[in-house]
Amino acid sequence: MIKNEPIIGVSDVEKSSDWYQKLLDCNSSHGGATFEMLTDNNGEVFLCLHKWGEHGHPTLASSQIQPGNGLILYLRVENLNKVWNNAREFNFKIEESRHMNPNSGKEQFCLKDLDGYYLMITE
């Protein structure tokens, strides 16, 4: 098995965790000011949040590098309607409205998180 659990650098781990939990109805499984592990309803980790400059990781050393450059967080969700409604309810910054992706044949929308990471949410 190969499983990917990306770690992204964020300015405020707790605020970012709250943002993702509101959007995705996901859960915190670690918590704290420097590192967070977000899990789905089955307890599977799908994303980790790491405070910029903590723990000496060279690729997470500086927030001065444009966050998200070269990265799309592509998230497949079970209930696209719920996530779309959450994004609108909390006035999150929508980059692309809900639409059918002609390449995947799946409905999706795109938004940016608090640190400027680009998320593609799809069914």
Side-chain angles (χ1 to χ4, degrees):
M1 174 176 79
I2 297 175
K3 190 174 164 190
N4 189 20
E5 296 173 2
I7 301 172
I8 59 173
V10 298
S11 298
D12 187 316
V13 171
E14 291 164 325
K15 281 185 182 177
S16 291
S17 177
D18 185 58
W19 187 92
Y20 277 96
Q21 289 179 63
K22 285 177 180 173
L23 176 67
L24 300 170
D25 289 328
C26 63
N27 305 298
S28 164
S29 70
H30 187 278
T34 61
F35 186 73
E36 171 68 281
M37 297 168 66
L38 297 173
T39 61
D40 63 17
N41 291 330
N42 296 321
E44 295 289 325
V45 175
F46 69 90
L47 183 63
C48 298
L49 309 173
H50 194 291
K51 183 164 180 60
W52 285 111
E54 294 291 328
H55 308 126
H57 301 300
T59 58
L60 294 169
S62 173
S63 63
Q64 300 307 306
I65 301 167
Q66 181 183 3
N69 187 29
L71 172 72
I72 294 174
L73 293 172
Y74 185 82
L75 301 173
R76 292 176 60 188
V77 299
E78 290 179 328
N79 190 339
L80 188 66
N81 288 331
K82 175 71 173 151
V83 177
W84 171 248
N85 289 337
N86 289 347
R88 292 180 50 203
E89 177 183 343
F90 294 109
N91 295 313
F92 292 159
K93 184 179 178 187
I94 306 292
E95 295 290 317
E96 287 184 57
S97 289
R98 198 168 167 176
H99 65 280
M100 180 64 66
N101 181 320
N103 296 316
S104 68
K106 303 284 185 186
E107 201 166 341
Q108 68 181 38
F109 70 97
C110 302
L111 68 161
K112 285 189 178 178
D113 76 0
L114 297 175
D115 290 273
Y117 289 99
Y118 192 83
L119 282 72
M120 189 175 292
I121 312 291
T122 188
E123 57 186 347

